[in-house]
Amino acid sequence: MKIINPEAWSRKKHYEFFKAFDAPHFNVTASVDVTKLHTHAKRTGQSFFKLFLYGAVKTANAIPELRYRIRGDEVIEHDVVHPSFTVMMDDDVFNFCTATYKDAFPDFMEEVTARMSGAKREVVVGDDEPDSLLYITSVPWVTFTSISHPTNDQQHDTVPRIAWGKFTETGGRMTMPLSVQAHHALVDGVHVGRYYELLQAWLDDLSDLEVQTPEEKGLDEAIRLRENGELERAKQLFLMLLRQDEKNPRLHAHCASCYDSLGEERQAVPHYERAIRLGLTGDELRETYIGLGSTYRALGRYEDAEALFAKAIEQFPDIGALKVFQAMTHYNLGRHTEATGTLLELLASPEPDDSIKRYRRAIAFYARNLDETYD
């Protein structure tokens, strides 16, 4: 901890001005893209709340202004600040839980898990707390656009408040409202803006979360085998991993892809379907739609394929490969005008579609075998 020298502080006048306000706090709410973190949580079976909590606190510690506090006539800067967050109990009541911030991700997760377990045993409200905290809450029931927090002594309460709400999925991307409330004598909009920028950069990277478990190492090996064409070995390894984690949507998607590549379409279908039901998102969901829809069509399940492609195109309207496979399905259903119209529109597009390029070999094969079904 250090004391800020007011005479050498560039924002001394701003501090004196806003400190005199009766209500000096300001609040910013904006959306952050949590697609990659949401997928990571699903893939690893970890708590999204704990993962995001780590990122939110890690980022706050990187902004000096969010570690400033007013104490009497002085402004101090903490070396590190720690999360104090809410934990839901029975009967729709919450408890406060404070944890010590650990920079190393595994240590942080161990600390938070232990603290949350203790907080669920006894409700404690109203204890005096140090000012080296960040007050944090989540409101997972509401995609809010603004939020306000209670303060006991507004002029001198300088602990920032951070809150986040319910996910929204649009076009395969997951966004979430995030609110930051701070004391204007210490924090300006530029500092809050920097917080959002750094947090989004962390959400887009996540490299500090990549502590591989034995199961993740097994997944990497299975993917390597599949990419090397060792499909049967890859399939058996995916199946073994599924026995250990049967609710992992990503494993089901990989397993389905192996079955498909081996010409075992009927065995692929339940894994594709389970991957979607278990909450696959983003690019992996898009590719699974293409795999399952194409497999339905190859098995002669044209109505199922049509319904799936319609749903997929609604979610991913700019993916040309989905429209190509849907056009094949329309052909099989006797809807030749629709099929031809779709393909001509794609052909006339001024920009090449990378998704179509990725499926060039499969499209070329089916072009010569449109009336064939496979069992």
Side-chain angles (χ1 to χ4, degrees):
M1 185 189 77
K2 69 178 181 181
I3 298 173
I4 302 297
N5 179 2
E7 302 307 319
W9 194 15
S10 61
R11 59 174 291 110
K12 176 186 175 183
K13 291 184 178 179
H14 299 79
Y15 165 72
E16 292 173 343
F17 177 70
F18 286 113
K19 185 184 177 184
F21 277 36
D22 291 332
H25 294 85
F26 73 102
N27 189 307
V28 175
T29 300
S31 292
V32 289
D33 188 322
V34 295
T35 307
K36 189 171 182 178
L37 186 65
H38 186 267
T39 300
H40 178 87
K42 289 280 188 182
R43 175 173 63 86
T44 60
Q46 297 183 85
S47 161
F48 178 89
F49 173 82
K50 293 178 186 177
L51 293 173
F52 192 82
L53 180 68
Y54 173 70
V57 180
K58 180 184 179 76
T59 304
N61 272 292
I63 309 292
E65 289 75 14
L66 295 180
R67 292 186 274 111
Y68 289 177
R69 303 291 184 268
I70 295 174
R71 283 189 182 173
D73 295 327
E74 293 180 331
V75 174
I76 62 101
E77 179 185 348
H78 287 291
D79 298 323
V80 62
V81 289
H82 310 279
S84 178
F85 51 95
T86 52
V87 177
M88 286 302 297
M89 309 281 284
D90 295 332
D91 301 322
D92 292 338
V93 298
F94 68 87
N95 195 12
F96 294 110
C97 180
T98 299
T100 301
Y101 174 68
K102 310 282 188 180
D103 191 58
F105 170 66
D107 296 340
F108 179 86
M109 292 294 276
E110 183 179 354
E111 162 73 4
V112 167
T113 299
R115 296 287 185 171
M116 289 179 71
S117 178
K120 289 182 178 180
R121 290 194 290 267
E122 181 184 2
V123 175
V124 178
V125 178
D127 282 2
D128 290 336
E129 293 182 318
D131 61 9
S132 58
L133 298 176
L134 297 165
Y135 292 149
I136 294 174
T137 190
S138 66
V139 189
W141 312 278
V142 181
T143 307
F144 59 75
T145 54
S146 67
I147 191 171
S148 61
H149 301 268
T151 50
N152 185 32
D153 181 358
Q154 292 209 54
Q155 283 188 307
H156 302 98
D157 183 343
T158 51
V159 176
R161 272 80 166 165
I162 299 172
W164 56 88
K166 183 180 179 180
F167 303 126
T168 298
E169 183 175 0
T170 306
R173 307 301 298 179
M174 303 290 289
T175 59
M176 186 178 74
L178 176 71
S179 162
V180 180
Q181 180 171 306
H183 196 296
H184 213 345
L186 304 178
V187 181
D188 282 338
V190 64
H191 307 124
V192 174
R194 195 168 297 144
Y195 177 80
Y196 279 94
E197 289 175 353
L198 289 177
L199 180 58
Q200 188 61 64
W202 179 83
L203 287 165
D204 293 338
D205 178 42
L206 303 184
S207 58
D208 53 356
L209 302 186
E210 295 299 331
V211 180
Q212 282 202 320
T213 65
E215 291 76 15
E216 289 174 313
K217 291 178 182 177
L219 176 59
D220 288 345
E221 174 64 10
I223 293 172
R224 185 191 68 79
L225 289 170
R226 190 190 64 192
E227 291 175 348
N228 288 344
E230 299 180 66
L231 297 173
E232 185 60 38
R233 289 183 61 196
K235 183 186 77 175
Q236 294 303 325
L237 185 48
F238 282 128
L239 288 171
M240 184 192 74
L241 292 169
L242 270 172
R243 287 193 288 271
Q244 301 168 10
D245 188 8
E246 63 178 13
K247 293 185 178 180
N248 188 316
R250 196 163 178 238
L251 285 176
H252 281 286
H254 283 304
C255 197
S257 177
C258 279
Y259 274 121
D260 236 351
S261 298
L262 287 164
E264 299 170 348
E265 284 86 358
R266 288 196 182 278
Q267 293 91 328
V269 167
H271 289 288
Y272 278 133
E273 292 174 338
R274 190 106 191 264
I276 294 170
R277 285 200 306 272
L278 287 170
L280 208 63
T281 60
D283 294 345
E284 291 177 316
L285 175 61
R286 180 195 67 209
E287 298 303 304
T288 298
Y289 276 142
I290 292 173
L292 178 57
S294 177
T295 301
Y296 279 156
R297 197 196 70 82
L299 291 170
R301 296 173 57 176
Y302 303 132
E303 290 80 8
D304 290 334
E306 161 58 17
L308 186 77
F309 284 131
K311 177 181 177 181
I313 290 169
E314 185 177 347
Q315 293 184 47
F316 301 98
D318 300 323
I319 304 302
L322 284 166
K323 297 175 183 179
V324 171
F325 284 104
Q326 184 189 50
M328 295 182 198
T329 306
H330 285 163
Y331 165 85
N332 293 123
L333 289 169
R335 293 157 60 177
H336 300 149
T337 301
E338 286 180 71
T340 304
T342 296
L343 294 176
L344 288 175
E345 285 181 5
L346 290 169
L347 186 63
S349 175
E351 298 293 332
D353 191 306
D354 290 337
S355 71
I356 296 177
K357 290 181 182 179
R358 287 200 305 274
Y359 287 93
R360 181 181 293 132
R361 289 178 61 187
I363 292 169
F365 173 81
Y366 287 126
R368 298 187 296 271
N369 302 277
L370 279 172
D371 294 307
E372 297 293 327
T373 57
Y374 305 88
D375 193 351

PDB file of all heavy atoms in Angstrom, residues 212-232:
ATOM      1  N   GLN A 212      -3.682 -27.795 -18.563  1.00  0.00           N
ATOM      2  CA  GLN A 212      -4.265 -29.016 -19.091  1.00  0.00           C
ATOM      3  C   GLN A 212      -4.414 -30.105 -18.044  1.00  0.00           C
ATOM      4  O   GLN A 212      -3.492 -30.397 -17.288  1.00  0.00           O
ATOM      5  CB  GLN A 212      -3.412 -29.551 -20.248  1.00  0.00           C
ATOM      6  CG  GLN A 212      -3.634 -28.814 -21.556  1.00  0.00           C
ATOM      7  CD  GLN A 212      -3.222 -29.663 -22.732  1.00  0.00           C
ATOM      8  OE1 GLN A 212      -2.218 -30.357 -22.684  1.00  0.00           O
ATOM      9  NE2 GLN A 212      -3.989 -29.604 -23.800  1.00  0.00           N
ATOM     10  N   THR A 213      -5.585 -30.691 -18.012  1.00  0.00           N
ATOM     11  CA  THR A 213      -5.854 -31.876 -17.206  1.00  0.00           C
ATOM     12  C   THR A 213      -5.498 -33.109 -18.040  1.00  0.00           C
ATOM     13  O   THR A 213      -5.339 -33.016 -19.266  1.00  0.00           O
ATOM     14  CB  THR A 213      -7.336 -31.936 -16.818  1.00  0.00           C
ATOM     15  OG1 THR A 213      -8.105 -32.103 -18.029  1.00  0.00           O
ATOM     16  CG2 THR A 213      -7.771 -30.668 -16.099  1.00  0.00           C
ATOM     17  N   PRO A 214      -5.394 -34.275 -17.425  1.00  0.00           N
ATOM     18  CA  PRO A 214      -5.157 -35.493 -18.218  1.00  0.00           C
ATOM     19  C   PRO A 214      -6.225 -35.693 -19.294  1.00  0.00           C
ATOM     20  O   PRO A 214      -5.932 -36.165 -20.392  1.00  0.00           O
ATOM     21  CB  PRO A 214      -5.206 -36.607 -17.158  1.00  0.00           C
ATOM     22  CG  PRO A 214      -4.784 -35.938 -15.888  1.00  0.00           C
ATOM     23  CD  PRO A 214      -5.359 -34.542 -15.983  1.00  0.00           C
ATOM     24  N   GLU A 215      -7.491 -35.329 -18.981  1.00  0.00           N
ATOM     25  CA  GLU A 215      -8.556 -35.486 -19.957  1.00  0.00           C
ATOM     26  C   GLU A 215      -8.332 -34.571 -21.164  1.00  0.00           C
ATOM     27  O   GLU A 215      -8.560 -34.970 -22.312  1.00  0.00           O
ATOM     28  CB  GLU A 215      -9.915 -35.175 -19.319  1.00  0.00           C
ATOM     29  CG  GLU A 215     -10.384 -36.188 -18.290  1.00  0.00           C
ATOM     30  CD  GLU A 215      -9.660 -36.048 -16.951  1.00  0.00           C
ATOM     31  OE1 GLU A 215      -9.003 -34.998 -16.731  1.00  0.00           O
ATOM     32  OE2 GLU A 215      -9.751 -36.979 -16.143  1.00  0.00           O
ATOM     33  N   GLU A 216      -7.866 -33.339 -20.902  1.00  0.00           N
ATOM     34  CA  GLU A 216      -7.612 -32.412 -22.005  1.00  0.00           C
ATOM     35  C   GLU A 216      -6.452 -32.890 -22.863  1.00  0.00           C
ATOM     36  O   GLU A 216      -6.470 -32.745 -24.092  1.00  0.00           O
ATOM     37  CB  GLU A 216      -7.333 -31.023 -21.444  1.00  0.00           C
ATOM     38  CG  GLU A 216      -8.567 -30.347 -20.866  1.00  0.00           C
ATOM     39  CD  GLU A 216      -8.237 -29.042 -20.186  1.00  0.00           C
ATOM     40  OE1 GLU A 216      -7.273 -28.995 -19.397  1.00  0.00           O
ATOM     41  OE2 GLU A 216      -8.950 -28.068 -20.439  1.00  0.00           O
ATOM     42  N   LYS A 217      -5.432 -33.479 -22.230  1.00  0.00           N
ATOM     43  CA  LYS A 217      -4.321 -34.027 -23.000  1.00  0.00           C
ATOM     44  C   LYS A 217      -4.805 -35.170 -23.884  1.00  0.00           C
ATOM     45  O   LYS A 217      -4.370 -35.325 -25.026  1.00  0.00           O
ATOM     46  CB  LYS A 217      -3.212 -34.502 -22.056  1.00  0.00           C
ATOM     47  CG  LYS A 217      -2.500 -33.372 -21.324  1.00  0.00           C
ATOM     48  CD  LYS A 217      -1.451 -33.901 -20.360  1.00  0.00           C
ATOM     49  CE  LYS A 217      -0.779 -32.753 -19.615  1.00  0.00           C
ATOM     50  NZ  LYS A 217       0.210 -33.235 -18.621  1.00  0.00           N
ATOM     51  N   GLY A 218      -5.730 -35.991 -23.340  1.00  0.00           N
ATOM     52  CA  GLY A 218      -6.316 -37.067 -24.129  1.00  0.00           C
ATOM     53  C   GLY A 218      -7.100 -36.525 -25.309  1.00  0.00           C
ATOM     54  O   GLY A 218      -7.064 -37.090 -26.413  1.00  0.00           O
ATOM     55  N   LEU A 219      -7.816 -35.409 -25.103  1.00  0.00           N
ATOM     56  CA  LEU A 219      -8.574 -34.792 -26.181  1.00  0.00           C
ATOM     57  C   LEU A 219      -7.638 -34.306 -27.274  1.00  0.00           C
ATOM     58  O   LEU A 219      -7.892 -34.521 -28.470  1.00  0.00           O
ATOM     59  CB  LEU A 219      -9.401 -33.629 -25.634  1.00  0.00           C
ATOM     60  CG  LEU A 219     -10.181 -32.799 -26.660  1.00  0.00           C
ATOM     61  CD1 LEU A 219     -11.155 -33.663 -27.433  1.00  0.00           C
ATOM     62  CD2 LEU A 219     -10.903 -31.643 -25.977  1.00  0.00           C
ATOM     63  N   ASP A 220      -6.547 -33.651 -26.898  1.00  0.00           N
ATOM     64  CA  ASP A 220      -5.580 -33.180 -27.893  1.00  0.00           C
ATOM     65  C   ASP A 220      -5.018 -34.341 -28.703  1.00  0.00           C
ATOM     66  O   ASP A 220      -4.831 -34.233 -29.925  1.00  0.00           O
ATOM     67  CB  ASP A 220      -4.442 -32.420 -27.206  1.00  0.00           C
ATOM     68  CG  ASP A 220      -4.875 -31.057 -26.696  1.00  0.00           C
ATOM     69  OD1 ASP A 220      -5.952 -30.587 -27.106  1.00  0.00           O
ATOM     70  OD2 ASP A 220      -4.132 -30.465 -25.894  1.00  0.00           O
ATOM     71  N   GLU A 221      -4.737 -35.460 -28.035  1.00  0.00           N
ATOM     72  CA  GLU A 221      -4.203 -36.626 -28.733  1.00  0.00           C
ATOM     73  C   GLU A 221      -5.237 -37.205 -29.696  1.00  0.00           C
ATOM     74  O   GLU A 221      -4.901 -37.586 -30.831  1.00  0.00           O
ATOM     75  CB  GLU A 221      -3.775 -37.693 -27.720  1.00  0.00           C
ATOM     76  CG  GLU A 221      -3.337 -39.024 -28.315  1.00  0.00           C
ATOM     77  CD  GLU A 221      -2.088 -38.926 -29.186  1.00  0.00           C
ATOM     78  OE1 GLU A 221      -1.424 -37.861 -29.186  1.00  0.00           O
ATOM     79  OE2 GLU A 221      -1.782 -39.912 -29.869  1.00  0.00           O
ATOM     80  N   ALA A 222      -6.502 -37.272 -29.276  1.00  0.00           N
ATOM     81  CA  ALA A 222      -7.555 -37.791 -30.147  1.00  0.00           C
ATOM     82  C   ALA A 222      -7.723 -36.911 -31.385  1.00  0.00           C
ATOM     83  O   ALA A 222      -7.894 -37.414 -32.502  1.00  0.00           O
ATOM     84  CB  ALA A 222      -8.871 -37.894 -29.373  1.00  0.00           C
ATOM     85  N   ILE A 223      -7.684 -35.588 -31.189  1.00  0.00           N
ATOM     86  CA  ILE A 223      -7.790 -34.673 -32.330  1.00  0.00           C
ATOM     87  C   ILE A 223      -6.611 -34.850 -33.271  1.00  0.00           C
ATOM     88  O   ILE A 223      -6.766 -34.855 -34.503  1.00  0.00           O
ATOM     89  CB  ILE A 223      -7.895 -33.218 -31.832  1.00  0.00           C
ATOM     90  CG1 ILE A 223      -9.222 -32.996 -31.091  1.00  0.00           C
ATOM     91  CG2 ILE A 223      -7.769 -32.239 -32.989  1.00  0.00           C
ATOM     92  CD1 ILE A 223      -9.336 -31.658 -30.404  1.00  0.00           C
ATOM     93  N   ARG A 224      -5.417 -35.032 -32.709  1.00  0.00           N
ATOM     94  CA  ARG A 224      -4.223 -35.241 -33.542  1.00  0.00           C
ATOM     95  C   ARG A 224      -4.372 -36.508 -34.380  1.00  0.00           C
ATOM     96  O   ARG A 224      -4.056 -36.509 -35.577  1.00  0.00           O
ATOM     97  CB  ARG A 224      -2.973 -35.333 -32.660  1.00  0.00           C
ATOM     98  CG  ARG A 224      -1.665 -35.441 -33.442  1.00  0.00           C
ATOM     99  CD  ARG A 224      -0.506 -35.788 -32.533  1.00  0.00           C
ATOM    100  NE  ARG A 224      -0.624 -37.136 -31.999  1.00  0.00           N
ATOM    101  CZ  ARG A 224      -0.308 -38.232 -32.687  1.00  0.00           C
ATOM    102  NH1 ARG A 224       0.130 -38.146 -33.930  1.00  0.00           N
ATOM    103  NH2 ARG A 224      -0.431 -39.419 -32.131  1.00  0.00           N
ATOM    104  N   LEU A 225      -4.858 -37.593 -33.747  1.00  0.00           N
ATOM    105  CA  LEU A 225      -5.046 -38.847 -34.480  1.00  0.00           C
ATOM    106  C   LEU A 225      -6.050 -38.671 -35.621  1.00  0.00           C
ATOM    107  O   LEU A 225      -5.836 -39.160 -36.730  1.00  0.00           O
ATOM    108  CB  LEU A 225      -5.536 -39.939 -33.529  1.00  0.00           C
ATOM    109  CG  LEU A 225      -4.519 -40.467 -32.507  1.00  0.00           C
ATOM    110  CD1 LEU A 225      -5.211 -41.356 -31.485  1.00  0.00           C
ATOM    111  CD2 LEU A 225      -3.399 -41.235 -33.209  1.00  0.00           C
ATOM    112  N   ARG A 226      -7.145 -37.973 -35.341  1.00  0.00           N
ATOM    113  CA  ARG A 226      -8.154 -37.768 -36.378  1.00  0.00           C
ATOM    114  C   ARG A 226      -7.594 -36.960 -37.538  1.00  0.00           C
ATOM    115  O   ARG A 226      -7.813 -37.288 -38.708  1.00  0.00           O
ATOM    116  CB  ARG A 226      -9.375 -37.054 -35.795  1.00  0.00           C
ATOM    117  CG  ARG A 226     -10.564 -37.013 -36.766  1.00  0.00           C
ATOM    118  CD  ARG A 226     -11.652 -36.099 -36.253  1.00  0.00           C
ATOM    119  NE  ARG A 226     -11.169 -34.723 -36.179  1.00  0.00           N
ATOM    120  CZ  ARG A 226     -11.805 -33.734 -35.560  1.00  0.00           C
ATOM    121  NH1 ARG A 226     -12.934 -33.981 -34.932  1.00  0.00           N
ATOM    122  NH2 ARG A 226     -11.314 -32.514 -35.547  1.00  0.00           N
ATOM    123  N   GLU A 227      -6.849 -35.887 -37.219  1.00  0.00           N
ATOM    124  CA  GLU A 227      -6.278 -35.049 -38.270  1.00  0.00           C
ATOM    125  C   GLU A 227      -5.233 -35.792 -39.088  1.00  0.00           C
ATOM    126  O   GLU A 227      -5.008 -35.472 -40.258  1.00  0.00           O
ATOM    127  CB  GLU A 227      -5.684 -33.775 -37.652  1.00  0.00           C
ATOM    128  CG  GLU A 227      -6.747 -32.823 -37.103  1.00  0.00           C
ATOM    129  CD  GLU A 227      -6.153 -31.633 -36.389  1.00  0.00           C
ATOM    130  OE1 GLU A 227      -4.921 -31.670 -36.112  1.00  0.00           O
ATOM    131  OE2 GLU A 227      -6.906 -30.682 -36.103  1.00  0.00           O
ATOM    132  N   ASN A 228      -4.588 -36.804 -38.485  1.00  0.00           N
ATOM    133  CA  ASN A 228      -3.601 -37.620 -39.199  1.00  0.00           C
ATOM    134  C   ASN A 228      -4.245 -38.775 -39.960  1.00  0.00           C
ATOM    135  O   ASN A 228      -3.543 -39.614 -40.538  1.00  0.00           O
ATOM    136  CB  ASN A 228      -2.553 -38.174 -38.224  1.00  0.00           C
ATOM    137  CG  ASN A 228      -1.603 -37.100 -37.723  1.00  0.00           C
ATOM    138  OD1 ASN A 228      -1.523 -36.018 -38.295  1.00  0.00           O
ATOM    139  ND2 ASN A 228      -0.878 -37.399 -36.651  1.00  0.00           N
ATOM    140  N   GLY A 229      -5.576 -38.862 -39.924  1.00  0.00           N
ATOM    141  CA  GLY A 229      -6.267 -39.911 -40.658  1.00  0.00           C
ATOM    142  C   GLY A 229      -6.393 -41.223 -39.918  1.00  0.00           C
ATOM    143  O   GLY A 229      -6.890 -42.207 -40.482  1.00  0.00           O
ATOM    144  N   GLU A 230      -5.972 -41.274 -38.652  1.00  0.00           N
ATOM    145  CA  GLU A 230      -6.082 -42.498 -37.857  1.00  0.00           C
ATOM    146  C   GLU A 230      -7.454 -42.496 -37.174  1.00  0.00           C
ATOM    147  O   GLU A 230      -7.572 -42.374 -35.949  1.00  0.00           O
ATOM    148  CB  GLU A 230      -4.936 -42.584 -36.842  1.00  0.00           C
ATOM    149  CG  GLU A 230      -3.560 -42.615 -37.492  1.00  0.00           C
ATOM    150  CD  GLU A 230      -2.436 -42.709 -36.476  1.00  0.00           C
ATOM    151  OE1 GLU A 230      -2.348 -43.755 -35.788  1.00  0.00           O
ATOM    152  OE2 GLU A 230      -1.659 -41.740 -36.352  1.00  0.00           O
ATOM    153  N   LEU A 231      -8.496 -42.640 -37.990  1.00  0.00           N
ATOM    154  CA  LEU A 231      -9.861 -42.383 -37.550  1.00  0.00           C
ATOM    155  C   LEU A 231     -10.357 -43.389 -36.521  1.00  0.00           C
ATOM    156  O   LEU A 231     -11.038 -43.026 -35.554  1.00  0.00           O
ATOM    157  CB  LEU A 231     -10.796 -42.360 -38.760  1.00  0.00           C
ATOM    158  CG  LEU A 231     -10.527 -41.248 -39.776  1.00  0.00           C
ATOM    159  CD1 LEU A 231     -11.394 -41.441 -41.011  1.00  0.00           C
ATOM    160  CD2 LEU A 231     -10.775 -39.882 -39.160  1.00  0.00           C
ATOM    161  N   GLU A 232     -10.058 -44.658 -36.714  1.00  0.00           N
ATOM    162  CA  GLU A 232     -10.543 -45.669 -35.772  1.00  0.00           C
ATOM    163  C   GLU A 232      -9.914 -45.481 -34.400  1.00  0.00           C
ATOM    164  O   GLU A 232     -10.602 -45.560 -33.371  1.00  0.00           O
ATOM    165  CB  GLU A 232     -10.242 -47.067 -36.308  1.00  0.00           C
ATOM    166  CG  GLU A 232     -10.820 -48.195 -35.447  1.00  0.00           C
ATOM    167  CD  GLU A 232     -12.336 -48.142 -35.319  1.00  0.00           C
ATOM    168  OE1 GLU A 232     -13.018 -47.808 -36.318  1.00  0.00           O
ATOM    169  OE2 GLU A 232     -12.848 -48.415 -34.216  1.00  0.00           O
TER     170      GLU A 232
END
